[in-house]
Amino acid sequence: MDKLMENEVFKAFTTYAVIVTVKMMLMGPMTGYFRMTRGAFANEEDVGRKNAEEKKKLLRTHPDVERVRRCHQNDLENIIPFVVIGLLYALTAPELSTALLHFRVFAGSRIFHTIAYVGALPQPSRGLSWIVGMLVTFSMAYNVLSKVFLL
Amino acid sequence: MDKLMENEVFKAFTTYAVIVTVKMMLMGPMTGYFRMTRGAFANEEDVGRKNAEEKKKLLRTHPDVERVRRCHQNDLENIIPFVVIGLLYALTAPELSTALLHFRVFAGSRIFHTIAYVGALPQPSRGLSWIVGMLVTFSMAYNVLSKVFLL
Amino acid sequence: MDKLMENEVFKAFTTYAVIVTVKMMLMGPMTGYFRMTRGAFANEEDVGRKNAEEKKKLLRTHPDVERVRRCHQNDLENIIPFVVIGLLYALTAPELSTALLHFRVFAGSRIFHTIAYVGALPQPSRGLSWIVGMLVTFSMAYNVLSKVFLL
């Protein structure tokens, strides 16, 4: 095993990075599920065995599908920056407890964000969870740049 | 050279990560090519030298452009998680042969996915290649978490 | 601190990776700002306290919001590949001056790209900055594969 993986902070980062990335990936199958159940497809070959009339009906957008897709997009916009900046943060040797606090709050905020988005919970539930996740990433970015800065 | 890069598994990861990332990037120029040849643009400044009548005609969506953009989006949703989880997987010191199997199947499935998407091949060709790629990433995620887990 | 972070090239990579990733993340709040000021929302719960008539008016797209979203999307498509390939490039021990040249040109091109996109500057300003950023990433990808190649 690489020495990096013997480091506690790096182990914690690895665990949370895998969890939030897998969570993000699951939005793909969820989009597929909503496309099937709502009958709303984007590609002609996906409704290939139907006749022309039925095809036209199925090649449409549906609010539920679009909602899951926006949630997926928001994950791409927030979880990937967390993974990038979190990796560099883990390499700057922060305290384990501080690092765990960052990772836990981020993972929690993103899981709640998905529930709030897909479940269409009233605002500001989704807005706040988005902001909390972003603040965690900004905090790690600040920590990295205050230790390592070579322009 | 960093010691990481003397590790065979990490070398293999590096090779495949660069290949699939470059493949993903090439969807950008491909979108540009379809925008030009199909005459379908998104920004007014991209059709700047035309008169108002022609502008209106060119600021539209075209099915071929949207198809390439969906393929690009699918790459973002699948190739980036592969790179993130694959990096952490490579650091957990798996067997070279097992790692290579994962990387090769993933790269193959994503190249086939692009052909199936852009070429509008009949289903389930695109669906299957998407699922295979996802299963590879899930398998690596499972491997990582079974070796490293610190919540 | 991990040994990686004592390496000058890795320090430079870390600095620029954090800068461009934070730049990308700021497109999120910027989208929010344009949604508020232009009154163009995507989710019903975001306009929850209004009556049905007003809701319908606010659930729409606005050219300025769509422009910022396209810019954000372009960042995802270009900055993340830079971070992935740049990380692997930094691990292949390039000359510090060569590495800095790559990182600086990329960061500059992407900051200019955002100004050109959001400000709707006449082409080819945006197109050129996009191409320059892409060429930097391709150059790093070529460098990596010419040093490390294990298929």
Side-chain angles (χ1 to χ4, degrees), chain B residues 37-75:
Chain B
T37 53
R38 267 57 168 179
F41 297 89
N43 296 293
E44 223 170 292
E45 66 269 25
D46 300 355
V47 291
R49 281 162 231 154
K50 316 276 181 181
N51 62 47
E53 183 80 1
E54 283 179 314
K55 266 191 193 182
K56 235 181 173 175
K57 265 194 205 164
L58 291 171
L59 290 174
R60 52 165 189 157
T61 58
H62 187 285
D64 293 352
V65 175
E66 296 309 303
R67 178 174 285 280
V68 178
R69 291 182 63 216
R70 285 196 300 276
C71 184
H72 199 169
Q73 184 70 11
N74 198 280
D75 273 356

Side-chain angles (χ1 to χ4, degrees), chain A:
Chain A
M1 177 106 53
D2 192 89
K3 270 194 182 162
L4 269 177
M5 280 297 177
E6 288 162 18
N7 180 292
E8 295 280 286
V9 173
F10 204 81
K11 274 184 187 172
F13 167 72
T14 297
T15 309
Y16 284 97
V18 170
I19 288 171
V20 294
T21 306
V22 167
K23 189 228 86 51
M24 177 171 79
M25 288 181 74
L26 291 176
M27 303 310 288
M30 199 193 275
T31 305
Y33 170 79
F34 277 97
R35 282 199 186 285
M36 300 271 193
T37 54
R38 267 57 169 179
F41 297 89
N43 295 294
E44 225 171 291
E45 66 269 25
D46 300 355
V47 290
R49 281 162 232 155
K50 316 275 180 182
N51 62 47
E53 184 81 0
E54 284 179 312
K55 267 191 192 181
K56 234 182 173 173
K57 264 193 204 164
L58 291 171
L59 289 175
R60 52 163 190 159
T61 58
H62 187 284
D64 293 352
V65 175
E66 296 310 302
R67 179 174 285 279
V68 178
R69 290 182 64 217
R70 284 197 300 276
C71 184
H72 198 169
Q73 183 70 13
N74 198 281
D75 274 356
L76 288 172
E77 292 168 7
N78 288 278
I79 288 179
I80 300 167
F82 166 82
V83 170
V84 167
I85 293 175
L87 173 74
L88 300 169
Y89 171 72
L91 295 175
T92 60
E95 290 264 348
L96 179 61
S97 58
T98 320
L100 275 173
L101 185 68
H102 280 85
F103 301 158
R104 283 170 183 161
V105 171
F106 183 84
S109 76
R110 293 310 301 184
I111 289 165
F112 183 75
H113 180 270
T114 304
I115 296 168
Y117 215 145
V118 178
L121 300 192
Q123 287 284 24
S125 58
R126 194 187 88 233
L128 280 183
S129 58
W130 173 67
I131 287 173
V132 167
M134 200 168 262
L135 289 179
V136 169
T137 309
F138 283 146
S139 165
M140 294 194 306
Y142 173 79
N143 267 280
V144 171
L145 290 187
S146 65
K147 284 192 192 169
V148 178
F149 196 78
L150 196 161
L151 266 187

